[in-house]
Amino acid sequence: MKSIVAIIAIATLAFTNAKACDKCGNYNNSNFKIKSTSVTHNKDLGVTIWEIKVDSLAGNTTPKPVGQLNGAPVLGYVFPTTLKPTDVGFNLTDGIVALALTSHPDFDDSPLWDENTDGKFDNDGIVWHPHWVILTEDKRVAGGLAVKEFKKDDKTVVLPKTSPNMPMYMDSPGFNVTTKGNSIKVVVPDYRINNKTDFKFDAVTCFMEVNTGEGGTHSEGGAKPMLGVYKVYSVASGNLSLPYSVK
């Protein structure tokens, strides 16, 4: 918990001081201005329903493709939580467990799922879909956070079977994501979060970007993280304090 508090404090300072990059500003609109957030437990169905409501149309804005993986934009509606990495299938490691609902037209990182139901499994990254990620402090990006990376030969790393096989703590769990009006929701079965319903959470909207390094061979500790947060548009609590409880 101490490490989570430290990461939140550093990230909050970064959010306050970060200057908007030009491409980040292209998406800074009312579709990402958070009005409220909730996680509701349906005991009868054994699921939690995670929701973010915004001022305008949730999910209506998606990134413009750049035509390559390096520099590919990613937009996200993100739920930072107090869940443990082991609750969602990772090994125990420092960082913040977050459920990120993302859209990115330049690549597909959910190879097990056909989100646009066209019979192809590698062409629907633009469709809003979920990822479990572990976020850590990263001063290389203006948003102050990045998805935690690891060395490919690190035998201590445990990833869920649904992960996209990238050298970072990210999973593609395939939960159903829906958008309607000003609301975006995702339904998570209880057993996929170790039957935990007593965690705290917050909600964030943000711009992220992929960096694969020169020649597409990204190395840990390079100039930029593989997937970093460059701009935060809105935070439900205002200070990323994770004050909300499951209803």
Side-chain angles (χ1 to χ4, degrees):
M1 185 64 183
K2 184 178 180 181
S3 62
I4 292 178
V5 172
I7 291 169
I8 289 173
I10 293 167
T12 301
L13 181 62
F15 297 162
T16 303
N17 295 334
K19 295 180 180 179
C21 59
D22 291 339
K23 50 192 169 185
C24 305
N26 293 337
Y27 306 104
N28 192 4
N29 59 48
S30 57
N31 295 336
F32 294 106
K33 177 63 176 176
I34 297 174
K35 290 182 65 175
S36 64
T37 185
S38 64
V39 176
T40 305
H41 184 228
N42 186 315
K43 189 174 182 180
D44 290 342
L45 297 179
V47 299
T48 47
I49 300 95
W50 306 49
E51 181 178 26
I52 293 174
K53 289 185 176 180
V54 296
D55 281 349
S56 193
L57 298 174
N60 196 55
T61 300
T62 54
K64 295 180 180 178
V66 297
Q68 61 183 28
L69 182 58
N70 191 36
V74 179
L75 289 172
Y77 296 87
V78 183
F79 298 87
T81 77
T82 59
L83 288 166
K84 296 178 181 178
T86 50
D87 290 330
V88 298
F90 299 117
N91 60 288
L92 191 61
T93 186
D94 289 338
I96 299 173
V97 175
L99 182 58
L101 312 183
T102 66
S103 172
H104 42 74
D106 289 294
F107 63 100
D108 188 302
D109 54 6
S110 54
L112 294 178
W113 318 111
D114 179 18
E115 288 94 345
N116 62 4
T117 64
D118 67 348
K120 301 177 182 179
F121 290 76
D122 61 355
N123 68 344
D124 42 19
I126 195 171
V127 179
W128 291 97
H129 59 281
H131 292 292
W132 287 117
V133 294
I134 305 295
L135 297 175
T136 57
E137 175 201 356
D138 199 312
K139 297 179 180 179
R140 295 173 294 174
V141 288
L145 293 171
V147 177
K148 187 172 186 176
E149 300 173 32
F150 55 82
K151 295 179 180 179
K152 291 183 179 181
D153 59 354
D154 188 342
K155 303 300 183 183
T156 67
V157 172
V158 176
L159 300 176
K161 298 297 183 182
T162 49
S163 70
N165 195 30
M166 297 178 178
M168 55 182 169
Y169 282 95
M170 183 172 72
D171 181 33
S172 302
F175 306 142
N176 192 42
V177 176
T178 59
T179 58
K180 184 177 181 180
N182 73 336
S183 170
I184 185 167
K185 295 179 182 178
V186 60
V187 178
V188 180
D190 287 354
Y191 77 95
R192 298 289 293 274
I193 50 174
N194 202 21
N195 294 306
K196 296 294 178 62
T197 57
D198 58 350
F199 57 90
K200 297 282 191 175
F201 67 96
D202 212 326
V204 174
T205 55
C206 61
F207 176 92
M208 296 167 278
E209 189 173 277
V210 176
N211 184 281
T212 59
E214 293 185 11
T217 56
H218 179 86
S219 60
E220 186 184 24
K224 298 290 183 182
M226 183 174 290
L227 183 57
V229 177
Y230 286 79
K231 177 64 179 176
V232 171
Y233 299 127
S234 184
V235 181
S237 66
N239 57 9
L240 201 64
S241 56
L242 280 63
Y244 305 107
S245 300
V246 180
K247 297 178 180 178

